[in-house]
Amino acid sequence: MKKLIIIPILLLIISCSVREKPLFVKVDNMKVVSSTLENIVLSADAYFINQNDIGGSLESKNIDVIINNTKVAEMSSEMFEVPAGEEFTIPLKVIVPTKKVFGSNENGLLGGILNGLINKKITVQYKGIITYHKLGFSYDYEVDTTQELKIKI
């Protein structure tokens, strides 16, 4: 009787495919969500495709946010559950103090903000690691993407 129970369980486990880690496609949709004199809120989406029948979890740790070649923040996220057999996105959001973006300008914060208003563009780079966890294993995806964004304060 036990053999009759074990065989279907083994077939079920074998039929659940764990072919490979999810495919990291890109980081896209980078934008300035809001900007004030105190903070700039940036967001982006990390796109993945999971071809496996089993999900897992993803987390971003220590993704550096670099604006105009200066590291201004470090982004981390909570664990994100990966759906089985689907395309999915992970939202990446960070709040950056405005003074970190414009305060390093030799004219000071006000001069930097005025210069930023004239230029109306900043170069934003996300650089770091997103880690996938599944069944005791983990895989790292390197993120390094840069985009020029318009900003209004």
Side-chain angles (χ1 to χ4, degrees):
M1 184 68 176
K2 287 184 180 183
K3 290 181 184 179
L4 292 176
I5 294 173
I6 293 174
I7 292 173
I9 291 174
L10 285 175
L11 289 175
L12 179 64
I13 291 172
I14 292 170
S15 68
C16 288
S17 168
V18 183
R19 294 183 286 271
E20 55 193 52
K21 63 182 181 178
L23 175 66
F24 172 61
V25 179
K26 63 183 175 179
V27 173
D28 201 10
N29 198 24
M30 293 173 63
K31 61 184 173 185
V32 177
V33 176
S34 66
S35 57
T36 65
L37 288 174
E38 292 84 32
N39 294 313
I40 299 170
V41 180
L42 303 171
S43 72
D45 293 317
Y47 291 85
F48 289 85
I49 299 172
N50 185 10
Q51 301 172 352
N52 299 310
D53 294 333
I54 295 177
S57 61
L58 283 168
E59 69 178 324
S60 59
K61 288 184 179 178
N62 307 324
I63 294 180
D64 293 333
V65 179
I66 302 163
I67 297 179
N68 297 335
N69 296 319
T70 303
K71 179 181 171 184
V72 295
E74 195 170 274
M75 178 188 340
S76 294
S77 71
E78 296 178 17
M79 287 283 204
F80 178 86
E81 291 303 314
V82 174
E86 292 183 24
E87 294 181 19
F88 62 96
T89 60
I90 297 175
L92 303 174
K93 186 176 181 181
V94 66
I95 299 172
V96 179
T98 304
K99 65 182 178 183
K100 283 193 171 187
V101 176
F102 298 113
S104 62
N105 187 296
E106 55 192 47
N107 296 328
L109 179 60
L110 184 57
I113 291 172
L114 291 174
N115 187 37
L117 288 173
I118 292 168
N119 292 334
K120 296 183 183 176
K121 291 186 180 183
I122 57 174
T123 302
V124 179
Q125 179 182 15
Y126 289 129
K127 186 172 185 170
I129 302 291
I130 296 177
T131 305
Y132 173 67
H133 302 279
K134 173 182 65 178
L135 302 174
F137 297 99
S138 65
Y139 305 101
D140 289 336
Y141 301 97
E142 186 175 330
V143 174
D144 188 359
T145 188
T146 304
Q147 190 171 337
E148 197 170 85
L149 301 176
K150 291 183 179 182
I151 185 169
K152 287 185 179 180
I153 295 182

